[in-house]
Amino acid sequence: MENTQKRVTFGGKISAVLVAAGSAVGLGNIWRFPYVAGENGGGAFLIIYILCILIMGLPLMIAEFSIGSASRHNAVGAFRTLGHRRWGGIGYIGILASVLILGFYLVVAGWTAEYTIHSLTDDLVRQSDPTFHQRSFEAFIAHPWKPIFYSTLFAVATHIIIVLGVKQGIERASKVMMPLLFIFLIILAIHSMLMPGGMEGIRFFLTPDFSKVTPSSVLVALGQAFFSLSIGLGTMITYGSYFKPKTRVQDTAIEVSAIDTMVAMLAGLMVFPAVFSAGIEPGAGPSLVFITLPSIFSSMPLSQLWSSLFFLLLVIAALTSTISLHEAITAYMHEEWKLTRRSAACITTVLTALLGALASLSLGILDHWRIAGLNIFDALDYVTANILLPIGAMLTCLFAGWCFDKQTFASQLYPSCQPKPFFGLIRFMLRFCCPIIILLIFLHNLGLL
Ligand code: PHE
């Protein structure tokens, strides 16, 4: 346990919240959430999503933070220190999931970087014809080297922040970028809501229409909740291990989940009014942000400003998330393989940038490389969201509920105060409700139920 004394910690309560919120708030909130909600009935989906966050997401985030802060280890070391050697396996699933997610996340993050540069240099915003934007997006993502250049750029930016360290790199970056993100988001949401016809978009987003909800919407909502909160793969365990010992884990988890949900809602309030104002289909899918929004921006006054702000917002959101994925892998290699932090970071960067390049090529010239019918990009998304994250989440619940010492767990929630409100309920959820629900959903997802 010599690790315990030497381990760096985040500055304090606000830093812990900002850094963890930086991981949670990402492309999942601003790029993925609006189109998934659009495809699944808008307001009704929002209600199911919030229930998933409260019932499943929050207890699991509390568990992950507690496992990290009690063990002061990376995701693999944490399970091993608090449980038995064999539990370390959960950590390995998480590290694998982090590598695979970072592989395709870097690609989409690279797209946001290229769109920011295009917005700033004005050639994105001149055209208002949606088919122009569709064609240029499709040509760009299938291009043999341009998207790889941008995803590698993103990997290098992430690398630099990681090498600067937990305090000087991750904490400092989050403290600057998160407030900036909130300011941009609020400006853009207000602007969008004031657009002519925008109210219709707000109505779509906030009025529940349960006729559009299917059992699969519930699965989608849960998967979205886990991905958006960055749970089920040890990222929050790694960050929890950098909390100061007196950090109140329960409050931190509530605040991070609230911020994450608020940002997803603001993203909805930003995207849907704009989409409705331009008379575009809200269920446009993953291209919503890259095709629909640029064509809307181009028809507005100050188009260059709005478009640049929007894509810069996506870059910031993506960067604070790639940092957290990278840190989970780097901390594991540094502590378990006894590499220097710099070497661990280098291996992580090279490995994930190569995977990113492969994922990017699979949208163009390597489209014929298929795994179970999916190209590499889609396969990475599918395997992580539908297999690794649910398994990791379920095992983490079981570990926290059945194996994690009750007193140690309880003492993380509110280190210096008694009694511990809701501890019994949280532990009950982790022991029974969460694993059973995840198992049912997992089997259903695989078509076994
Ligand atoms: N939560 C991030 C998002 O919403 C993605 C992420 C998943 C980050 C898992 C870290 C770990 O975009």
Side-chain angles (χ1 to χ4, degrees):
M1 279 275 205
E2 36 147 6
N3 218 343
T4 312
Q5 275 81 40
K6 281 197 292 191
R7 201 171 187 81
V8 267
T9 56
F10 295 136
K13 183 173 158 15
I14 295 181
S15 303
V17 172
L18 282 180
V19 174
S23 171
V25 172
L27 296 173
N29 305 59
I30 304 169
W31 165 64
R32 199 167 186 274
F33 179 78
Y35 83 74
V36 170
E39 287 170 341
N40 287 278
F45 181 83
L46 181 63
I47 294 177
I48 300 172
Y49 176 74
I50 291 175
L51 285 176
C52 288
I53 297 264
L54 288 175
I55 299 172
M56 317 277 289
L58 197 52
L60 195 53
M61 189 185 281
I62 292 174
E64 288 205 8
F65 280 157
S66 303
I67 292 170
S69 84
S71 69
R72 312 258 130 210
H73 276 73
N74 65 85
V76 173
F79 286 106
R80 227 189 257 147
T81 315
L82 298 175
H84 184 271
R85 265 198 89 73
R86 264 176 299 166
W87 285 102
I90 311 177
Y92 287 116
I93 298 175
I95 300 299
L96 177 66
S98 305
V99 172
L100 301 183
I101 290 183
L102 199 48
F104 76 85
Y105 205 90
L106 280 173
V107 177
V108 185
W111 299 345
T112 66
E114 121 87 42
Y115 269 66
T116 308
I117 290 171
H118 265 217
S119 304
L120 287 169
T121 54
D122 198 21
D123 61 354
L124 186 71
V125 288
R126 271 192 229 122
Q127 296 276 346
S128 60
D129 173 17
T131 52
F132 165 84
H133 288 282
Q134 175 157 8
R135 260 184 282 120
S136 69
F137 176 67
E138 281 163 5
F140 168 65
I141 64 171
H143 194 277
W145 62 263
K146 272 195 209 155
I148 297 182
F149 169 77
Y150 285 102
S151 65
T152 310
L153 200 68
F154 225 93
V156 171
T158 309
H159 177 87
I160 293 171
I161 294 171
I162 293 293
V163 169
L164 284 173
V166 170
K167 256 186 124 55
Q168 296 302 317
I170 302 176
E171 184 176 334
R172 266 236 227 121
S174 307
K175 275 175 142 170
V176 175
M177 288 196 278
M178 291 311 285
L180 212 57
L181 181 138
F182 294 130
I183 296 171
F184 285 6
L185 194 57
I186 290 169
I187 295 175
L188 283 162
I190 294 175
H191 172 71
S192 185
M193 286 190 276
L194 294 178
M195 286 170 74
M199 267 327 271
E200 207 190 319
I202 299 179
R203 220 169 294 128
F204 169 78
F205 184 50
L206 296 181
T207 321
D209 173 6
F210 280 98
S211 68
K212 294 233 186 72
V213 171
T214 59
S216 86
S217 319
V218 182
L219 314 182
V220 174
L222 189 74
Q224 173 65 22
F226 283 169
F227 185 79
S228 187
L229 292 176
S230 309
I231 48 181
L233 73 170
T235 309
M236 292 307 191
I237 295 182
T238 311
Y239 272 3
S241 75
Y242 302 130
F243 284 179
K244 275 199 180 327
K246 59 177 192 314
T247 302
R248 295 170 162 221
V249 158
Q250 186 171 314
D251 289 350
T252 310
I254 292 173
E255 282 152 16
V256 172
S257 310
I259 292 175
D260 189 64
T261 310
M262 241 163 50
V263 171
M265 289 195 64
L266 275 174
L269 290 178
M270 169 176 73
V271 170
F272 289 118
V275 164
F276 274 78
S277 159
I280 287 167
E281 214 356 78
S287 59
L288 190 66
V289 154
F290 291 99
I291 298 174
T292 314
L293 288 184
S295 52
I296 296 171
F297 289 137
S298 51
S299 56
M300 295 183 332
L302 297 176
S303 53
Q304 198 179 355
L305 169 76
W306 300 120
S307 178
S308 316
L309 265 188
F310 176 73
F311 285 107
L312 203 56
L313 170 79
L314 282 174
V315 166
I316 296 174
L319 189 56
T320 49
S321 296
T322 54
I323 292 171
S324 69
L325 287 160
H326 197 299
E327 175 61 25
I329 310 165
T330 302
Y332 158 71
M333 289 186 187
H334 172 48
E335 290 161 24
E336 303 294 315
W337 297 0
K338 309 286 177 234
L339 298 174
T340 61
R341 209 179 135 80
R342 194 177 275 265
S343 314
C346 279
I347 297 176
T348 307
T349 305
V350 172
L351 183 71
T352 52
L354 285 176
L355 194 61
L358 211 58
S360 179
L361 289 175
S362 78
L363 299 172
I365 53 174
L366 293 187
D367 182 50
H368 57 285
W369 286 18
R370 299 267 159 173
I371 305 166
L374 297 173
N375 64 33
I376 297 173
F377 183 94
D378 291 336
L380 290 175
D381 185 0
Y382 183 88
V383 168
T384 48
N386 293 330
I387 301 177
L388 295 178
L389 284 197
I391 294 182
M394 189 173 70
L395 293 175
T396 306
C397 291
L398 292 174
F399 176 85
W402 296 93
C403 179
F404 193 7
D405 176 64
K406 196 175 163 187
Q407 250 59 52
T408 317
F409 189 2
S411 67
Q412 305 304 312
L413 265 53
Y414 285 103
S416 53
C417 102
Q418 296 282 347
K420 322 277 183 196
F422 304 119
F423 177 65
L425 178 64
I426 292 166
R427 195 151 170 275
F428 177 79
M429 298 295 295
L430 290 167
R431 296 188 115 188
F432 302 105
C433 305
C434 298
I436 293 171
I437 296 174
I438 297 171
L439 183 69
L440 292 179
I441 288 176
F442 179 58
L443 294 178
H444 185 106
N445 247 350
L446 294 182
L448 299 174
L449 203 74

